[in-house]
Amino acid sequence: MAPVPSFPVKVGHIDDVQELKKIKPSSIPERFVRDMIERPKLATVTTPSSCNLNIPVVDLSKILNSQDFHNEIMKLSTSCEEWGFFQVINHGIDLDLLEKMEKIAMEFFMLPLEEKQKYPMAPGTVQGYGQAFVFSEDQKLDWCNMFALGVEPHFIRNPKLWPTKPLDFSETVDIYSREIRKLCKNLLKYIAMGLGLNEDIFEDMFGVAVQAVRMNYYPACPRPDLVLGLSPHSDGSALTVLQQGKCSSVGLQILKDNVWVPVQPIPNALVINIGDTIEVLTNGKYKSVEHRAVTNQEKDRLSIVTFYAPSYEIELGPLPELVDEKNPCKYKRYNHGEYSMHYVTNKLQGKKTLEFAKIYNN
């Protein structure tokens, strides 16, 4: 959740997709209709090379068990290197808390439009209710309503955007965010171990980590073959934690070997993905992966996403331990706040924002 852009942003009229579903249940405004090359092929992902593609599952309870520790750390390492995505089970977060977070997120999205619009996402920013990453009047829109908040450190919070309804919204988000923060710190320790690094290297480097939460609501869409719920992108964070709504449609897809692979939710699991920051720090050994969301003709979908990243003041670049003659430095050093500004002031477009940091060797 970086500072707001310094340039004026004109986005034109943006329809609220929940309201569209109520008023014009069979209509898709042209601004949501994707160009042919971007449209999802919803019945795919069964080619011979991809029919068994399921993202790895990491059991954190095994990492805490000395007998299974080494094998599960290696599994985590392989997941990061080969997939950039994995699901975590036995993550230690109370399941009642996950359920409560889902409940208050859904309650917020079910509020009347005029109530939600009290917390508007200003054009060019990424906090509040609306659509993020929209920078022009002719840009294609995602079939999604978002509500995003900066959480930590406190100076990135905008108190005016924290809703008074549901009544327990703020308290629940705070408790949930603290638990997710603990999980991210533990995961970064385990990732460091898998790389043969000091387990505290990331925590020591990150300073007071930046954390944000975004709730996404994807209403059922009459023509899911024409739209995207969320445009293809990689995340600018170090780690991203995704909670998928229990009764939601399957919507998350990741790009694996040039095939869009749907992520089948596991009950009570959380989906973790590597962000651009970890790709840079590991000198490309672990890569952030493009992912997108598709919609469903009959079912709505809810997801809750937490982004965990270094302090804006931190200078980042490939770790010296992961640079050698066989693996020359692939990324320049940069200020993380500068990169965050670059990320949030560009539309979602695959991994294009990471071009900011790449070194091109002739």
Side-chain angles (χ1 to χ4, degrees), residues 3 5 77 89 121 124 128 130 134 139 159 172 195 208 221 223 227 231 234 280 306-307 319 353 356 359-360:
S77 179
I89 60 173
M121 186 181 291
V134 182
Q139 185 176 328
T172 303
L195 289 164
V208 181
C221 178
R223 291 293 305 273
V227 308
S231 300
S234 63
V280 170
T306 298
F307 304 99
L319 293 166
T353 47
F356 170 96
I359 295 172
Y360 292 94

Side-chain angles (χ1 to χ4, degrees), residues 150-164:
V151 178
E152 294 290 345
H154 270 241
F155 75 81
I156 71 168
R157 294 191 181 206
N158 183 340
K160 293 179 181 177
L161 296 178
W162 285 65
T164 55

Side-chain angles (χ1 to χ4, degrees), residues 201-248:
I201 190 168
F202 295 121
E203 183 164 2
D204 292 345
M205 180 193 309
F206 280 18
V208 181
V210 173
Q211 189 173 338
V213 63
R214 190 180 74 217
M215 291 148 255
N216 304 312
Y217 190 80
Y218 307 93
C221 178
R223 291 293 305 273
D225 57 317
L226 299 181
V227 308
L228 285 174
L230 192 59
S231 300
H233 64 286
S234 63
D235 293 333
S237 56
L239 292 179
T240 301
V241 180
L242 169 70
Q243 177 183 345
Q244 306 199 71
K246 278 188 175 178
C247 298
S248 297

Side-chain angles (χ1 to χ4, degrees), residues 78-313:
T78 302
S79 302
C80 292
E81 186 166 359
E82 296 182 0
W83 284 83
F85 266 81
F86 53 94
Q87 297 201 58
V88 165
I89 60 173
N90 296 320
H91 41 66
I93 298 177
D94 192 295
L95 300 183
D96 289 341
L97 178 58
L98 297 184
E99 194 170 312
K100 188 171 183 182
M101 184 65 197
E102 183 180 332
K103 178 175 177 286
I104 62 111
M106 184 63 80
E107 285 177 0
F108 175 82
F109 283 115
M110 293 303 111
L111 290 171
L113 180 61
E114 57 270 22
E115 182 67 28
K116 292 181 285 189
Q117 287 179 333
K118 292 178 181 177
Y119 314 101
M121 186 181 291
T125 69
V126 288
Q127 291 199 53
Y129 176 77
Q131 279 217 21
F133 305 103
V134 182
F135 297 98
S136 70
E137 298 181 64
D138 58 356
Q139 185 176 328
K140 293 295 183 181
L141 299 175
D142 293 328
W143 193 266
C144 177
N145 285 337
M146 299 176 174
F147 185 51
L149 296 167
V151 178
E152 294 290 345
H154 270 241
F155 75 81
I156 71 168
R157 294 191 181 206
N158 183 340
K160 293 179 181 177
L161 296 178
W162 285 65
T164 55
K165 297 178 184 176
L167 290 175
D168 53 351
F169 183 95
S170 295
E171 180 186 9
T172 303
V173 169
D174 274 332
I175 296 169
Y176 177 84
S177 296
R178 282 199 297 272
E179 292 302 305
I180 296 290
R181 196 173 183 86
K182 289 178 195 172
L183 174 63
C184 288
K185 288 183 176 183
N186 286 332
L187 285 171
L188 286 170
K189 281 187 178 184
Y190 304 145
I191 287 170
M193 290 177 188
L195 289 164
L197 303 170
N198 182 301
E199 67 176 48
D200 294 321
I201 190 168
F202 295 121
E203 183 164 2
D204 292 345
M205 180 193 309
F206 280 18
V208 181
V210 173
Q211 189 173 338
V213 63
R214 190 180 74 217
M215 291 148 255
N216 304 312
Y217 190 80
Y218 307 93
C221 178
R223 291 293 305 273
D225 57 317
L226 299 181
V227 308
L228 285 174
L230 192 59
S231 300
H233 64 286
S234 63
D235 293 333
S237 56
L239 292 179
T240 301
V241 180
L242 169 70
Q243 177 183 345
Q244 306 199 71
K246 278 188 175 178
C247 298
S248 297
S249 62
V250 176
L252 174 63
Q253 296 183 339
I254 70 172
L255 191 61
K256 172 70 170 170
D257 300 327
N258 293 315
V259 174
W260 286 106
V261 179
V263 175
Q264 302 291 339
I266 296 172
N268 303 320
L270 295 169
V271 179
I272 314 295
N273 66 274
I274 298 298
D276 294 347
T277 296
I278 293 294
E279 175 167 336
V280 170
L281 289 171
T282 63
N283 199 34
K285 182 177 176 67
Y286 295 168
K287 289 182 172 59
S288 58
V289 173
E290 278 188 59
H291 50 287
R292 69 182 185 182
V294 297
T295 60
N296 186 279
Q297 193 166 11
E298 297 174 357
K299 293 186 74 174
D300 297 356
R301 177 171 179 257
L302 173 74
S303 67
I304 301 158
V305 190
T306 298
F307 304 99
Y308 187 85
S311 164
Y312 292 141
E313 287 75 40

